[in-house]
Amino acid sequence: MISIKRQLKYNRILLLSIGLWPYQQSKFVQLQLILFFGVLISCIVSQFTVFVFTKCTVDTAIKVLSAALYVAMCTIQYNSFRINIHIVKQLLDELDHIFKELTDENEITILKEYGKTAERFTIIIMMINCVNLTSLILMPIVAYIPGNIFINEARLQHVVQNMMPAYFVNEKQYWHIILLHLILVGIIGGSAVVATGMMLVGYFEHACGMFKIASYRIKKALMTNVKSVKLKDEIIIHKEIILAIDIHRKAIKFSQYMFSNFQGSHFWLLIVGVVCLSLNLYGISETMLTNDVEQFITHFVFISATFVYFFIANYIGQKVTNHNEHVFFTVYNVRWYVASLHVQKLILFLLQRGTKTVYLYLGGIFMLSFELLATLTKASISYFTVVYSMQQ
């Protein structure tokens, strides 16, 4: 028997760290959610104060927005899980129920393999995030080490003032407080994106496993010499095909239901992400002219994190589509045409469903796929080109 909670144990740890594990929502966790969300919102608000309290130039606006929009992406992702936490729990319960119905050892092995794939994915991203957060935490400590040539207090203050041109307090006098705030935002925002993103990856990987089981059941059902089956064998074939259709239907329903509850927030995440990429590309072009290493690293981190998120989202969307299509390739390739009439009628349900490809749409407009990834990349570069030409 497979336990979904055991399969997603690393995702559970990540969600617990930011208060989003749906099975332990105590009053303390509710307070944690409010505090974490408040920290992210306060960072966005504080960065936008530059448009209110100071005379803002185009360069300053671009510099502020390149950081503020990245934090906004983290906030949108965190809030999407916060308001849909009951959906997260419902999906976990649904997966657990589906998995407990499995009795075939090969089917259990298939799901374990997809669970391991999701686990490896989570471990890799989690390790990268841990390295980034550790660097962020150690940065102010290293700055005060005597003889350090890589980063010092002046450079650290320069980074803070560039990221926060206007703040609620005097930037030069209280830059340590601003730095602490930025570190908290980095920890919470980075953890939120990794935890929620990898949870969605875990869901979709298991959905792909369900599509794979549907293909396996179809092959298993028609492995028999369908020309000379007895009545008992035909009943078994009927049962296997019905089970294949059933789990295929559940996989489609699970994927689309999950995505429909998050597509609104992820639609805005995509729009904000494209603008964020464009502005940070412009920021990098500017830092290459001024040789500002600290700002170059900052923009590069924002670009890398945003692009990786887009890549993973579109990769997993493409994978779901490919696994659904593989079910129908399996149906077409088996010798269904020599089966009995009753068996052919059952397979006809799958053949008819195969004319409708399963796509995951954002806002009913954008379809998650490698094609969308290429479109987003082109759009970001195009907007960057427009901004750059306007500033010349």
Side-chain angles (χ1 to χ4, degrees), residues 166-195:
Y167 209 72
F168 298 117
V169 295
N170 187 298
E171 295 89 353
K172 293 183 179 179
Q173 185 177 357
Y174 298 101
W175 74 273
H176 292 91
I177 297 175
I178 301 175
L179 176 62
L180 177 61
H181 187 206
L182 288 176
I183 291 174
L184 286 175
V185 170
I187 293 172
I188 295 171
S191 300
V193 171
V194 171

Side-chain angles (χ1 to χ4, degrees), residues 161-382:
Q161 289 178 350
N162 273 314
M163 293 187 67
M164 293 288 192
Y167 209 72
F168 298 117
V169 295
N170 187 298
E171 295 89 353
K172 293 183 179 179
Q173 185 177 357
Y174 298 101
W175 74 273
H176 292 91
I177 297 175
I178 301 175
L179 176 62
L180 177 61
H181 187 206
L182 288 176
I183 291 174
L184 286 175
V185 170
I187 293 172
I188 295 171
S191 300
V193 171
V194 171
T196 55
M198 289 303 100
M199 190 64 185
L200 292 176
V201 169
Y203 280 148
F204 281 121
E205 282 290 343
H206 284 89
C208 290
M210 294 161 65
F211 283 120
K212 190 72 173 180
I213 289 174
S215 299
Y216 165 76
R217 287 179 176 177
I218 292 169
K219 288 181 180 179
K220 181 182 176 183
L222 298 176
M223 281 175 60
T224 313
N225 186 355
V226 292
K227 285 186 176 181
S228 58
V229 294
K230 298 179 180 179
L231 178 60
K232 182 180 178 181
D233 296 326
E234 188 168 331
I235 293 174
I236 295 175
I237 293 173
H238 281 204
K239 183 179 179 181
E240 289 291 339
I241 294 177
I242 290 172
L243 290 175
I245 294 172
D246 180 61
I247 198 165
H248 179 257
R249 178 186 60 82
K250 288 179 179 178
I252 295 175
K253 183 180 178 181
F254 178 83
S255 301
Q256 293 183 337
Y257 177 73
M258 172 179 54
F259 200 72
S260 64
N261 284 283
F262 290 94
Q263 68 169 337
S265 57
H266 283 79
F267 173 79
W268 290 109
L269 190 66
L270 183 146
I271 301 298
V272 173
V274 169
V275 179
C276 181
L277 271 177
S278 302
L279 294 179
N280 279 285
L281 284 171
Y282 175 79
I284 277 192
S285 68
E286 288 295 297
T287 55
M288 292 177 72
L289 296 175
T290 59
N291 294 321
D292 192 335
V293 178
E294 293 83 3
Q295 280 297 102
F296 177 85
I297 294 174
T298 302
H299 290 302
F300 180 78
V301 169
F302 289 158
I303 290 172
S304 300
T306 305
F307 185 79
V308 167
Y309 189 90
F310 280 172
F311 175 80
I312 293 175
N314 285 283
Y315 165 77
I316 204 68
Q318 185 71 60
K319 190 172 183 178
V320 170
T321 300
N322 292 345
H323 273 71
N324 175 67
E325 291 178 348
H326 183 264
V327 174
F328 302 106
F329 291 151
T330 303
V331 175
Y332 294 139
N333 289 331
V334 295
R335 300 179 63 194
W336 57 269
Y337 46 85
V338 298
S340 65
L341 184 60
H342 295 294
V343 174
Q344 289 186 30
K345 287 181 179 179
L346 287 175
I347 294 178
L348 184 61
F349 286 109
L350 281 172
L351 292 175
Q352 289 176 336
R353 186 63 182 84
T355 59
K356 299 180 180 180
T357 305
V358 174
Y359 292 120
L360 302 178
Y361 285 97
L362 283 171
I365 303 173
F366 303 109
M367 178 185 69
L368 287 184
S369 62
F370 288 137
E371 184 179 354
L372 176 60
L373 178 64
T375 302
L376 295 176
T377 304
K378 290 179 182 178
S380 300
I381 295 174
S382 299

